[in-house]
Structures are given as C-alpha cells and as structure tokens.
Amino acid sequence: MKGNIMAKTYVRVDDRLIHGQTIVAWCPTLEVQEIIAVDDASASNAMLKNIMTMGVPSTYKTHIVTTDEAKKLLSADSAKNRLVIVKTADKLAELAEYLPKCEYVILGNLAKRKDTNHQVAGATGIFFLSDSDIAKIDKMVDDGAEIFFQQLPSTSKTEWDKFKKTL
C-alpha cells in the first residue's frame, strides 16, 4: 500500500470474514474505519454480501471484494484505518505484496479443510493449517511481517514462532 503515514492497515485471517466479533471487538480496538473482506465467491454472491454487511454499522466503510478488487483498493492511498480480512493463508500470501505497510497479521479462525493436517494443540477445533499454509506464513514472517494468533483482542496473543510449535 502506498503510504499515508497516519492510516494503518491490519490483516485478519478468519474464514468467517465479517461477523459479530469483527464489529464489536476488533474494529473498535484497532480503531478501524474501513473493512475490506476479500473472497471471490462471497464478492460475487449478492445474498452473502447482504448477510455479511447487514449488521455492520454505517460508520464503517465496508467492501466485500474479489482478489483483483482488493489489490486495487490496497494500492490506493487511504486516510482510513483498514481491516483486511481473508479466509485463508493462500489469500494472505496472494495479497502480501499489497500489504507492505501492514501493522500486523492476526490469525483467527480457520476451519478444517481437505488439505489441513495441523491443528492448534488444545484448541477448540477452529484453527487448522496445511503444510502449504505454514510455508506461506513462514515466508511472510521471513520477509518481515509480524504475525500472531489471537482469537479476540481481550485474549492473549501468541507470536507465530511460538504458535507454530503447538501445531
């Protein structure tokens, strides 16, 4: 993202995209003014977009967009603090070059998928990763991204290196 120094960009990996915790916990804590949910399938489904945005207060500028639309949005200057939400580590890696000034990446909710073979030790069954996910997150960390797991702003965060050891 080209840089308006005042505005901040945060990224959350959460397969639910926009939901109650996003609005009542994350957005106020991060002082978000703009939400960008990136999911090609949701962006092309008017019903899903309506369901996801119906509980979002009008104080938040909200976008549910395709990957290409997200790249355009993230390439433009913004004076608003942004929360970018993606469903998977694949999408996170795909957008990485458009997030160079991202404050940090918060790993949240990831349901079990066909290719997932790692689960957080002791988790409630809501965070699963594939070998490919781990490699992509490792690369982003190696490239300087700050990535950690945190379910809610009120819960403790676990840095990626420590978190990865629980898988």
Side-chain angles (χ1 to χ4, degrees):
M1 181 169 95
K2 295 176 188 167
N4 182 326
I5 296 172
M6 300 301 285
K8 295 180 179 181
T9 299
Y10 304 94
V11 179
R12 181 154 173 89
V13 179
D14 190 326
D15 61 10
R16 301 167 294 174
L17 293 174
I18 301 172
H19 55 90
Q21 290 175 352
T22 307
I23 303 308
V24 301
W26 286 108
C27 288
T29 299
L30 299 174
E31 299 179 349
V32 167
Q33 298 145 319
E34 184 174 19
I35 302 167
I36 303 171
V38 185
D39 181 56
D40 294 341
S42 297
S44 62
N45 184 321
M47 182 182 290
L48 275 178
K49 285 172 82 166
N50 284 335
I51 289 169
M52 272 192 272
T53 58
M54 71 175 42
V56 179
S58 60
T59 54
Y60 300 114
K61 185 170 184 171
T62 305
H63 311 272
I64 300 172
V65 297
T66 65
T67 306
D68 288 337
E69 291 168 329
K71 289 175 181 177
K72 288 176 189 165
L73 279 170
L74 295 168
S75 294
D77 285 336
S78 177
K80 297 179 184 296
N81 285 350
R82 296 169 156 175
L83 176 60
V84 178
I85 309 168
V86 297
K87 282 188 164 192
T88 64
D90 283 342
K91 192 61 64 188
L92 177 63
E94 195 174 345
L95 292 174
E97 71 180 274
Y98 296 88
L99 302 166
K101 293 190 178 180
C102 169
E103 294 292 308
Y104 45 78
V105 177
I106 310 158
L107 303 175
N109 227 56
L110 277 174
K112 188 166 179 60
R113 303 177 314 271
K114 289 180 187 177
D115 66 337
T116 56
N117 54 339
H118 302 282
Q119 180 183 6
V120 174
T124 57
I126 57 167
F127 202 86
F128 293 86
L129 291 169
S130 67
D131 291 334
S132 174
D133 293 334
I134 292 169
K136 287 173 180 160
I137 294 170
D138 277 342
K139 181 179 181 339
M140 288 186 71
V141 169
D142 289 346
D143 290 345
E146 181 183 349
I147 300 178
F148 55 85
F149 175 79
Q150 187 174 19
Q151 290 190 313
L152 291 168
S154 60
T155 60
S156 62
K157 67 181 185 180
T158 306
E159 298 298 329
W160 172 247
D161 288 340
K162 184 176 178 186
F163 181 71
K164 191 167 85 167
K165 293 175 184 173
T166 69
L167 299 174

Coordinates of all heavy atoms in Angstrom, one line a residue, residues 85-116:
I85 N -9.7 -8.6 5.7 CA -10.0 -10.0 6.3 C -9.9 -10.9 5.1 O -10.6 -10.7 4.1 CB -11.4 -10.0 6.9 CG1 -11.5 -8.9 7.9 CG2 -11.6 -11.4 7.6 CD1 -13.0 -8.7 8.4
V86 N -9.2 -12.0 5.3 CA -9.1 -13.1 4.3 C -9.5 -14.4 4.9 O -9.3 -14.5 6.1 CB -7.7 -13.1 3.6 CG1 -7.4 -11.9 2.9 CG2 -6.6 -13.4 4.7
K87 N -9.9 -15.3 4.1 CA -10.3 -16.6 4.6 C -9.2 -17.6 4.9 O -9.3 -18.5 5.7 CB -11.3 -17.3 3.7 CG -12.7 -16.7 3.8 CD -13.7 -17.6 2.9 CE -15.1 -17.3 3.3 NZ -16.0 -18.3 2.7
T88 N -8.1 -17.5 4.1 CA -7.1 -18.5 4.1 C -5.7 -17.9 4.0 O -5.5 -16.7 3.6 CB -7.2 -19.5 2.9 OG1 -7.0 -18.8 1.7 CG2 -8.6 -20.2 3.0
A89 N -4.7 -18.7 4.4 CA -3.3 -18.3 4.2 C -2.9 -18.1 2.7 O -2.1 -17.3 2.4 CB -2.4 -19.3 4.9
D90 N -3.6 -18.9 1.9 CA -3.4 -18.7 0.4 C -3.7 -17.3 0.0 O -2.9 -16.7 -0.7 CB -4.2 -19.7 -0.4 CG -3.7 -21.1 -0.4 OD1 -2.6 -21.3 -0.1 OD2 -4.5 -22.0 -0.8
K91 N -4.8 -16.8 0.4 CA -5.2 -15.4 0.0 C -4.3 -14.4 0.7 O -3.9 -13.4 0.0 CB -6.7 -15.2 0.4 CG -7.3 -14.0 -0.2 CD -7.3 -14.0 -1.7 CE -8.2 -15.1 -2.2 NZ -8.1 -15.2 -3.7
L92 N -3.9 -14.7 1.9 CA -3.0 -13.8 2.6 C -1.7 -13.7 1.8 O -1.2 -12.6 1.5 CB -2.7 -14.4 4.0 CG -1.7 -13.6 4.8 CD1 -2.1 -12.2 5.1 CD2 -1.4 -14.4 6.1
A93 N -1.1 -14.8 1.3 CA 0.1 -14.8 0.6 C -0.1 -14.1 -0.8 O 0.8 -13.4 -1.3 CB 0.6 -16.3 0.3
E94 N -1.3 -14.3 -1.4 CA -1.5 -13.7 -2.7 C -1.6 -12.2 -2.6 O -1.2 -11.5 -3.5 CB -2.9 -14.2 -3.2 CG -3.2 -14.0 -4.6 CD -4.4 -14.6 -5.1 OE1 -5.0 -15.6 -4.4 OE2 -4.9 -14.2 -6.2
L95 N -2.0 -11.6 -1.5 CA -2.1 -10.2 -1.3 C -0.9 -9.6 -0.6 O -0.8 -8.4 -0.4 CB -3.3 -9.9 -0.4 CG -4.7 -10.1 -1.1 CD1 -5.8 -9.9 -0.1 CD2 -4.9 -9.3 -2.3
A96 N 0.1 -10.4 -0.2 CA 1.2 -9.9 0.6 C 1.9 -8.7 0.0 O 2.3 -7.8 0.7 CB 2.2 -11.1 0.8
E97 N 2.2 -8.7 -1.3 CA 2.9 -7.6 -1.9 C 2.1 -6.3 -1.9 O 2.6 -5.2 -2.0 CB 3.3 -7.9 -3.4 CG 2.1 -7.9 -4.3 CD 2.6 -8.2 -5.8 OE1 2.9 -7.3 -6.5 OE2 2.5 -9.4 -6.1
Y98 N 0.8 -6.4 -1.6 CA -0.1 -5.2 -1.5 C -0.2 -4.7 0.0 O -1.0 -3.8 0.2 CB -1.5 -5.5 -2.1 CG -1.3 -5.7 -3.6 CD1 -1.1 -7.0 -4.1 CD2 -1.4 -4.7 -4.5 CE1 -1.0 -7.2 -5.4 CE2 -1.3 -4.9 -5.9 CZ -1.1 -6.2 -6.3 OH -0.9 -6.4 -7.7
L99 N 0.5 -5.4 0.9 CA 0.4 -5.1 2.3 C 1.7 -4.8 2.9 O 1.9 -5.2 4.1 CB -0.3 -6.3 3.0 CG -1.6 -6.7 2.5 CD1 -2.0 -8.1 3.0 CD2 -2.7 -5.7 2.9
P100 N 2.6 -4.1 2.2 CA 3.9 -3.9 2.8 C 3.9 -3.0 4.1 O 4.8 -3.1 4.9 CB 4.7 -3.2 1.7 CG 3.7 -2.5 0.9 CD 2.5 -3.4 1.0
K101 N 2.9 -2.2 4.3 CA 2.9 -1.4 5.5 C 1.9 -1.8 6.5 O 1.4 -1.1 7.3 CB 2.6 0.1 5.1 CG 3.8 0.7 4.3 CD 3.7 2.1 4.1 CE 4.9 2.6 3.4 NZ 4.9 4.0 3.1
C102 N 1.5 -3.1 6.3 CA 0.5 -3.7 7.3 C 1.2 -3.7 8.7 O 2.3 -4.0 8.9 CB 0.2 -5.1 6.8 SG -0.6 -6.1 8.0
E103 N 0.4 -3.2 9.7 CA 0.9 -3.2 11.0 C 1.2 -4.6 11.5 O 2.2 -4.9 12.1 CB -0.2 -2.6 12.0 CG -0.4 -1.1 11.7 CD 0.7 -0.2 12.0 OE1 1.3 -0.3 13.2 OE2 1.2 0.5 11.2
Y104 N 0.2 -5.5 11.3 CA 0.4 -6.9 11.7 C -0.7 -7.8 11.1 O -1.7 -7.3 10.7 CB 0.6 -7.2 13.2 CG -0.3 -6.4 14.1 CD1 -1.6 -6.9 14.3 CD2 0.1 -5.3 14.8 CE1 -2.5 -6.2 15.1 CE2 -0.8 -4.7 15.7 CZ -2.1 -5.1 15.8 OH -2.9 -4.5 16.7
V105 N -0.5 -9.1 11.2 CA -1.4 -10.1 10.7 C -1.9 -10.9 11.9 O -1.1 -11.4 12.6 CB -0.8 -11.0 9.6 CG1 -1.9 -12.1 9.2 CG2 -0.4 -10.2 8.4
I106 N -3.2 -10.9 12.1 CA -3.8 -11.7 13.2 C -4.4 -13.0 12.7 O -5.3 -12.9 11.8 CB -4.9 -10.8 13.9 CG1 -4.4 -9.4 14.2 CG2 -5.4 -11.6 15.1 CD1 -5.5 -8.4 14.4
L107 N -3.9 -14.1 13.1 CA -4.5 -15.4 12.8 C -5.7 -15.6 13.7 O -5.5 -15.5 14.9 CB -3.5 -16.5 12.9 CG -2.2 -16.3 12.0 CD1 -1.3 -17.5 12.4 CD2 -2.5 -16.2 10.6
G108 N -6.9 -15.9 13.1 CA -8.0 -16.1 13.9 C -8.7 -17.4 13.8 O -8.3 -18.4 14.5
N109 N -9.6 -17.6 12.9 CA -10.4 -18.8 12.8 C -10.2 -19.4 11.4 O -10.3 -18.8 10.4 CB -11.9 -18.4 12.8 CG -12.7 -19.2 13.7 OD1 -12.4 -19.4 14.9 ND2 -13.8 -19.8 13.2
L110 N -9.8 -20.7 11.4 CA -9.6 -21.5 10.2 C -10.2 -22.9 10.4 O -9.6 -23.6 11.2 CB -8.2 -21.6 9.8 CG -7.6 -20.4 9.0 CD1 -6.1 -20.5 8.8 CD2 -8.3 -20.2 7.7
A111 N -11.3 -23.1 9.7 CA -11.9 -24.5 9.9 C -11.1 -25.5 9.1 O -10.3 -25.2 8.3 CB -13.3 -24.4 9.3
K112 N -11.4 -26.8 9.5 CA -10.7 -27.9 8.8 C -11.1 -27.9 7.4 O -12.2 -27.7 7.0 CB -11.1 -29.2 9.5 CG -10.3 -30.4 9.1 CD -10.6 -31.5 10.0 CE -9.8 -32.8 9.6 NZ -8.4 -32.6 9.6
R113 N -10.0 -28.2 6.5 CA -10.2 -28.3 5.1 C -9.6 -29.6 4.7 O -8.9 -30.3 5.4 CB -9.6 -27.1 4.4 CG -10.1 -25.8 4.8 CD -9.4 -24.6 4.1 NE -7.9 -24.6 4.1 CZ -7.1 -24.2 5.0 NH1 -7.6 -23.6 6.1 NH2 -5.8 -24.2 4.9
K114 N -9.8 -30.0 3.4 CA -9.3 -31.3 2.9 C -7.8 -31.4 3.1 O -7.3 -32.5 3.4 CB -9.6 -31.5 1.4 CG -11.1 -31.7 1.2 CD -11.4 -31.9 -0.3 CE -12.8 -32.0 -0.5 NZ -13.2 -32.1 -2.0
D115 N -7.1 -30.3 2.9 CA -5.6 -30.4 2.9 C -5.0 -30.1 4.3 O -3.8 -30.1 4.4 CB -5.0 -29.4 1.8 CG -5.3 -28.0 2.1 OD1 -6.2 -27.7 2.9 OD2 -4.5 -27.1 1.6
T116 N -5.8 -29.8 5.3 CA -5.2 -29.4 6.6 C -4.8 -30.7 7.4 O -5.6 -31.6 7.5 CB -6.2 -28.5 7.4 OG1 -7.4 -29.2 7.6 CG2 -6.4 -27.2 6.7

